[in-house]
Coordinates of all heavy atoms in Angstrom, one line a residue:
G1 N 92.6 82.4 131.0 CA 91.3 82.2 130.4 C 90.2 82.0 131.4 O 89.1 81.4 131.1
L2 N 90.4 82.4 132.7 CA 89.4 82.1 133.8 C 88.6 83.4 134.1 O 87.4 83.3 134.5 CB 90.1 81.6 135.0 CG 90.7 80.2 134.9 CD1 91.5 79.9 136.2 CD2 89.6 79.2 134.7
Y3 N 89.2 84.6 134.0 CA 88.5 85.8 134.3 C 87.8 86.3 133.0 O 88.3 86.1 131.9 CB 89.5 86.9 134.8 CG 90.2 86.6 136.1 CD1 91.5 86.0 136.1 CD2 89.6 86.9 137.3 CE1 92.2 85.8 137.3 CE2 90.3 86.6 138.5 CZ 91.5 86.0 138.5 OH 92.2 85.8 139.7
D4 N 86.7 86.9 133.2 CA 86.0 87.5 132.1 C 86.7 88.8 131.6 O 86.6 89.1 130.4 CB 84.6 87.9 132.5 CG 83.7 86.7 132.8 OD1 83.7 85.7 132.0 OD2 83.1 86.6 133.9
E5 N 87.4 89.4 132.4 CA 88.1 90.6 132.1 C 89.4 90.8 133.0 O 89.3 90.3 134.2 CB 87.2 91.8 132.3 CG 87.7 93.2 131.9 CD 86.7 94.3 132.2 OE1 85.5 94.0 132.5 OE2 87.1 95.5 132.1
V6 N 90.4 91.3 132.5 CA 91.7 91.5 133.3 C 92.1 93.0 133.2 O 92.1 93.6 132.1 CB 92.8 90.6 132.8 CG1 94.1 90.9 133.6 CG2 92.4 89.2 132.9
I7 N 92.3 93.7 134.3 CA 92.8 95.0 134.3 C 94.0 95.1 135.3 O 94.2 94.2 136.1 CB 91.7 96.0 134.8 CG1 91.3 95.7 136.2 CG2 90.5 96.0 133.8 CD1 90.3 96.8 136.8
T8 N 94.8 96.2 135.1 CA 95.9 96.5 136.0 C 95.4 97.4 137.1 O 94.3 98.1 137.0 CB 97.1 97.0 135.3 OG1 96.7 98.2 134.6 CG2 97.6 96.0 134.3
Y9 N 96.2 97.6 138.2 CA 95.8 98.4 139.3 C 95.6 99.8 138.9 O 94.7 100.5 139.5 CB 96.8 98.3 140.4 CG 96.9 96.9 141.0 CD1 98.0 96.1 140.9 CD2 95.8 96.5 141.8 CE1 98.0 94.8 141.4 CE2 95.8 95.2 142.4 CZ 97.0 94.4 142.2 OH 97.0 93.1 142.8
D10 N 96.3 100.3 137.9 CA 96.1 101.7 137.5 C 95.0 101.9 136.5 O 94.7 103.0 136.0 CB 97.4 102.3 136.9 CG 97.9 101.5 135.6 OD1 97.2 100.5 135.3 OD2 98.9 101.9 135.1
E11 N 94.2 100.8 136.2 CA 93.1 100.9 135.4 C 91.7 100.8 136.1 O 90.7 100.8 135.5 CB 93.1 99.8 134.3 CG 94.3 100.0 133.3 CD 94.4 98.9 132.3 OE1 94.0 97.7 132.7 OE2 95.0 99.1 131.2
I12 N 91.8 100.8 137.4 CA 90.6 100.6 138.2 C 89.6 101.7 137.9 O 88.4 101.5 137.7 CB 90.9 100.6 139.7 CG1 91.6 99.3 140.1 CG2 89.6 100.7 140.6 CD1 92.2 99.3 141.5
D13 N 90.1 103.0 137.8 CA 89.1 104.1 137.5 C 88.6 104.2 136.1 O 87.8 105.0 135.8 CB 89.8 105.4 137.9 CG 91.1 105.7 137.1 OD1 91.4 104.9 136.2 OD2 91.7 106.8 137.3
R14 N 89.1 103.2 135.3 CA 88.5 103.2 133.9 C 87.3 102.2 133.8 O 86.7 102.2 132.7 CB 89.6 102.8 132.9 CG 90.8 103.7 132.9 CD 91.9 103.2 131.9 NE 93.2 103.8 132.2 CZ 94.3 103.5 131.6 NH1 94.3 102.6 130.6 NH2 95.5 104.1 131.9
T15 N 87.1 101.5 134.8 CA 85.9 100.6 134.8 C 84.6 101.4 135.0 O 84.7 102.6 135.5 CB 86.0 99.5 135.9 OG1 86.1 100.1 137.1 CG2 87.2 98.6 135.6
D16 N 83.5 100.8 134.7 CA 82.2 101.6 134.9 C 81.8 101.5 136.3 O 81.3 100.5 136.8 CB 81.2 100.9 134.0 CG 79.9 101.7 133.9 OD1 79.7 102.6 134.7 OD2 79.1 101.4 133.0
G17 N 81.9 102.7 137.0 CA 81.6 102.7 138.4 C 80.1 102.7 138.7 O 79.7 102.6 139.9
R18 N 79.3 102.7 137.7 CA 77.8 102.6 137.9 C 77.3 101.2 138.1 O 76.2 101.0 138.5 CB 77.1 103.3 136.7 CG 77.4 104.8 136.5 CD 76.9 105.3 135.2 NE 77.6 104.6 134.1 CZ 77.3 104.8 132.8 NH1 76.4 105.7 132.5 NH2 78.0 104.1 131.8
V19 N 78.2 100.2 137.7 CA 77.8 98.8 137.8 C 77.9 98.4 139.2 O 78.9 98.6 139.9 CB 78.7 98.0 136.9 CG1 78.4 96.5 137.0 CG2 78.6 98.4 135.5
H20 N 76.8 97.7 139.7 CA 76.8 97.1 141.0 C 77.9 96.0 141.1 O 77.8 95.0 140.3 CB 75.5 96.5 141.4 CG 74.4 97.6 141.7 ND1 73.2 97.3 142.1 CD2 74.5 98.9 141.6 CE1 72.5 98.4 142.2 NE2 73.3 99.4 142.0
S21 N 78.9 96.2 142.0 CA 80.1 95.4 142.0 C 80.4 94.9 143.4 O 79.9 95.4 144.4 CB 81.3 96.1 141.4 OG 81.0 96.6 140.1
G22 N 81.3 93.9 143.4 CA 81.8 93.5 144.7 C 83.3 93.3 144.6 O 83.9 93.2 143.5
L23 N 84.0 93.3 145.8 CA 85.5 93.1 145.9 C 85.8 91.9 146.7 O 85.3 91.8 147.9 CB 86.1 94.4 146.5 CG 87.5 94.3 146.9 CD1 88.5 94.0 145.7 CD2 88.0 95.6 147.6
V24 N 86.6 91.1 146.2 CA 87.3 90.0 147.0 C 88.8 90.4 147.0 O 89.5 90.3 145.9 CB 87.1 88.6 146.5 CG1 87.9 87.6 147.3 CG2 85.6 88.3 146.5
D25 N 89.3 90.9 148.1 CA 90.6 91.4 148.2 C 91.6 90.4 148.7 O 91.7 90.1 149.8 CB 90.6 92.6 149.1 CG 91.9 93.4 149.2 OD1 92.7 93.2 148.3 OD2 92.1 94.2 150.1
M26 N 92.4 89.9 147.7 CA 93.5 89.0 148.0 C 94.8 89.7 148.3 O 95.8 89.1 148.8 CB 93.7 88.0 146.9 CG 92.5 87.2 146.5 SD 92.0 86.0 147.7 CE 90.8 85.1 146.8
A27 N 94.9 91.0 147.9 CA 96.1 91.7 148.0 C 96.4 92.3 149.4 O 97.5 92.4 149.9 CB 96.2 92.8 146.9
G28 N 95.3 92.8 150.0 CA 95.4 93.5 151.3 C 96.1 94.9 151.2 O 96.5 95.4 152.2
S29 N 96.1 95.4 150.0 CA 96.8 96.7 149.9 C 95.8 97.8 150.2 O 94.7 97.9 149.6 CB 97.2 96.9 148.4 OG 97.5 98.3 148.1
G30 N 96.1 98.7 151.2 CA 95.2 99.8 151.5 C 95.0 100.7 150.3 O 93.8 101.1 150.1
P31 N 96.0 101.2 149.6 CA 95.7 102.1 148.5 C 94.8 101.4 147.4 O 94.0 102.1 146.8 CB 97.1 102.3 147.9 CG 98.0 102.2 149.1 CD 97.4 101.1 149.9
V32 N 95.0 100.1 147.1 CA 94.2 99.5 146.1 C 92.7 99.4 146.6 O 91.8 99.7 145.8 CB 94.8 98.1 145.7 CG1 93.8 97.3 144.9 CG2 96.1 98.2 145.0
R33 N 92.6 99.0 147.8 CA 91.2 98.8 148.3 C 90.5 100.2 148.4 O 89.3 100.3 148.0 CB 91.3 98.3 149.8 CG 90.0 98.0 150.4 CD 90.1 97.1 151.6 NE 91.1 97.7 152.5 CZ 92.3 97.1 152.8 NH1 92.6 96.0 152.2 NH2 93.1 97.6 153.6
S34 N 91.3 101.2 148.7 CA 90.7 102.6 148.8 C 90.3 103.0 147.4 O 89.2 103.7 147.2 CB 91.7 103.6 149.3 OG 91.2 104.9 149.3
A35 N 91.1 102.7 146.4 CA 90.8 103.1 145.0 C 89.5 102.5 144.5 O 88.7 103.1 143.8 CB 91.9 102.7 144.1
I36 N 89.3 101.2 144.8 CA 88.1 100.5 144.4 C 86.9 101.0 145.1 O 85.8 101.3 144.5 CB 88.3 99.0 144.6 CG1 89.4 98.4 143.7 CG2 87.0 98.2 144.4 CD1 89.7 97.0 143.9
H37 N 87.0 101.2 146.5 CA 85.9 101.7 147.2 C 85.5 103.1 146.8 O 84.3 103.5 146.6 CB 86.2 101.8 148.7 CG 86.0 100.5 149.4 ND1 84.9 100.3 150.3 CD2 86.6 99.3 149.4 CE1 85.0 99.1 150.8 NE2 86.0 98.4 150.3
T38 N 86.5 103.9 146.5 CA 86.2 105.3 146.1 C 85.6 105.4 144.7 O 84.7 106.1 144.4 CB 87.5 106.1 146.1 OG1 88.1 106.1 147.4 CG2 87.3 107.6 145.6
H39 N 86.1 104.5 143.8 CA 85.5 104.5 142.4 C 84.1 104.0 142.4 O 83.2 104.6 141.7 CB 86.4 103.6 141.5 CG 86.0 103.6 140.1 ND1 86.0 104.7 139.3 CD2 85.5 102.6 139.3 CE1 85.5 104.4 138.1 NE2 85.2 103.1 138.1
F40 N 83.8 102.9 143.1 CA 82.4 102.4 143.0 C 81.5 103.0 144.1 O 80.3 103.0 143.9 CB 82.5 100.9 143.1 CG 83.0 100.2 141.9 CD1 84.4 99.8 141.9 CD2 82.2 99.9 140.8 CE1 84.9 99.2 140.7 CE2 82.7 99.3 139.7 CZ 84.1 98.9 139.6
A41 N 82.0 103.4 145.2 CA 81.3 104.0 146.3 C 80.1 103.1 146.7 O 80.2 102.0 147.0 CB 80.9 105.4 145.9
D42 N 78.9 103.7 146.6 CA 77.7 102.9 147.0 C 77.3 101.8 146.1 O 76.5 101.0 146.4 CB 76.5 103.9 147.2 CG 76.6 104.8 148.4 OD1 77.4 104.5 149.3 OD2 76.0 105.9 148.4

């Protein structure tokens, strides 16, 4: 009940990539980080 929303790693590309967002990466996974950067880009 602490997060406003919960998604799984395979649902990253289903979020709205137009929203100005930030990443705090606790996982350190290259593929996950790449997926988030690619989806949100600028």
Side-chain angles (χ1 to χ4, degrees):
L2 292 172
Y3 296 97
D4 295 307
E5 183 180 351
V6 178
I7 64 173
T8 56
Y9 293 111
D10 60 359
E11 294 175 333
I12 291 169
D13 61 358
R14 301 180 198 175
T15 59
D16 189 345
R18 298 168 298 178
V19 177
H20 288 184
S21 305
L23 167 63
V24 178
D25 186 13
M26 303 288 190
S29 165
V32 170
R33 185 167 50 250
S34 178
I36 292 172
H37 274 254
T38 300
H39 182 64
F40 289 96
D42 290 340

